[in-house]
Amino acid sequence: MGRTPTPVTTPESLTFRSDVTVELVKSSASDADVLFAARVSTAGEQSLDELKKDPERSKGLINYLMRDRHGSPFEHNSMTFFISAPIFVFREFMRHRVGWSYNEESGRYRELEPVFYVPGADRKLVQEGRPGKYVFVEGTPAQHEAVSSTLRESYEQAYAAYQKMLAEGVAREVARAALPVGLYSSMYATCNARSLMHFLGLRTQHELAKVPSFPQREIEMVGEKMEAEWAQHMPLTYAAFNANGRVAP
């Protein structure tokens, strides 16, 4: 039986994005989780009574745990996010290993969609200074145009090469080598509040942070969206995190 040829994607059918998306698909996380875990050391089985109480009455305990870095009570919860972002973001993301679980879409088992990252007009393009002491500044209109046109042309050529190999019967896991890290991928990422706080301390910039961080903007965009979701589910823990310099306990 003959092989069905892979349809050729024209440049017009490629999708270019400058955003990331984050969806909290499952959550078992509340401030009460921190309280019952902390009080078991003194109350034993009676600590379960914390589940029936208003956590607001115990926000001082949460602040104490955060301030003095008693971290384990912040691990008794779970949040699962579905994230869509360029591959280069995920390669930075997966450096966070403790307290995280990941499952990403696979270029071995499915044909990857032609969705690519092109920085938006607000993305700072120029690095000034030396490693360890540099800043990013606004690019000129000409630089933004050069980045946009060059990336689009590169993506079109790379995806055409990918599809050409697929049409020749080359395995997906081999043909994907032609694709750049600006391709969008998607994954589920599951963490607890403690591991998320560690992530946010490194991957976001914030005026309340005691320890400065210099994340790449694209992973910071993911972090900001995750932070907004988490803040709604654990407001007292989130407030204590900010009040104590955004340092993970």
Side-chain angles (χ1 to χ4, degrees):
M1 180 177 292
R3 172 173 42 82
T4 302
T6 301
V8 175
T9 298
T10 63
E12 292 76 17
S13 61
L14 271 65
T15 298
F16 302 108
R17 293 174 53 184
S18 61
D19 65 327
V20 299
T21 57
V22 175
E23 180 184 358
L24 182 62
V25 297
K26 185 174 65 173
S27 173
S28 174
S30 71
D31 293 314
D33 298 332
V34 181
L35 297 171
F36 79 73
R39 288 199 165 120
V40 71
S41 60
T42 57
E45 68 276 6
Q46 295 179 5
S47 65
L48 289 173
D49 292 340
E50 295 299 327
L51 294 172
K52 305 173 186 177
K53 296 179 181 178
D54 180 6
E56 182 73 28
R57 297 170 55 191
S58 298
K59 63 181 179 181
L61 174 58
I62 292 177
N63 189 71
Y64 159 74
L65 296 169
M66 189 77 69
R67 184 193 67 211
D68 286 14
R69 306 197 72 185
H70 297 289
S72 57
F74 297 98
E75 297 176 0
H76 295 270
N77 55 82
S78 177
M79 293 165 281
T80 297
F81 298 91
F82 184 72
I83 303 168
S84 176
I87 287 175
F88 67 80
V89 171
F90 289 169
R91 297 305 164 261
E92 284 197 344
F93 208 122
M94 291 172 183
R95 295 181 65 84
H96 297 266
R97 298 180 293 277
V98 178
W100 287 90
S101 298
Y102 303 107
N103 281 98
E104 184 183 356
E105 69 175 287
S106 174
R108 296 186 68 191
Y109 304 123
R110 63 167 301 189
E111 181 176 339
L112 298 172
E113 297 296 320
V115 182
F116 296 94
Y117 176 73
V118 175
D122 59 342
R123 176 52 159 103
K124 295 179 179 179
L125 295 181
V126 180
Q127 178 180 324
E128 294 183 346
R130 55 182 173 81
K133 192 176 182 180
Y134 58 82
V135 295
F136 283 89
V137 299
E138 303 290 342
T140 65
Q143 287 172 323
H144 277 281
E145 174 56 30
V147 169
S148 179
S149 61
T150 302
L151 284 178
R152 288 170 184 258
E153 181 181 357
S154 175
Y155 293 151
E156 290 167 3
Q157 293 177 352
Y159 200 77
Y162 172 65
Q163 287 216 308
K164 181 178 185 297
M165 284 187 280
L166 293 180
E168 293 293 333
V170 175
R172 288 184 291 267
E173 65 183 49
V174 176
R176 65 178 173 170
L179 296 173
V181 293
L183 182 79
Y184 272 73
S185 186
S186 60
M187 73 171 179
Y188 289 100
T190 299
C191 63
N192 58 57
R194 189 183 191 185
S195 54
L196 179 58
M197 284 186 279
H198 182 259
F199 176 88
L200 295 175
L202 291 172
R203 301 300 183 178
T204 61
Q205 290 183 314
H206 199 284
E207 60 184 3
L208 297 177
K210 287 182 180 178
V211 182
S213 183
F214 305 94
Q216 183 164 339
R217 178 54 189 154
E218 288 76 13
I219 197 170
E220 184 179 35
M221 290 160 59
V222 173
E224 289 169 349
K225 291 179 179 293
M226 296 175 74
E227 181 172 340
E229 294 282 1
W230 169 55
Q232 295 183 45
H233 285 77
M234 301 181 73
L236 300 182
T237 301
Y238 179 64
F241 175 59
N242 283 318
N244 290 276
R246 293 176 67 86
V247 175

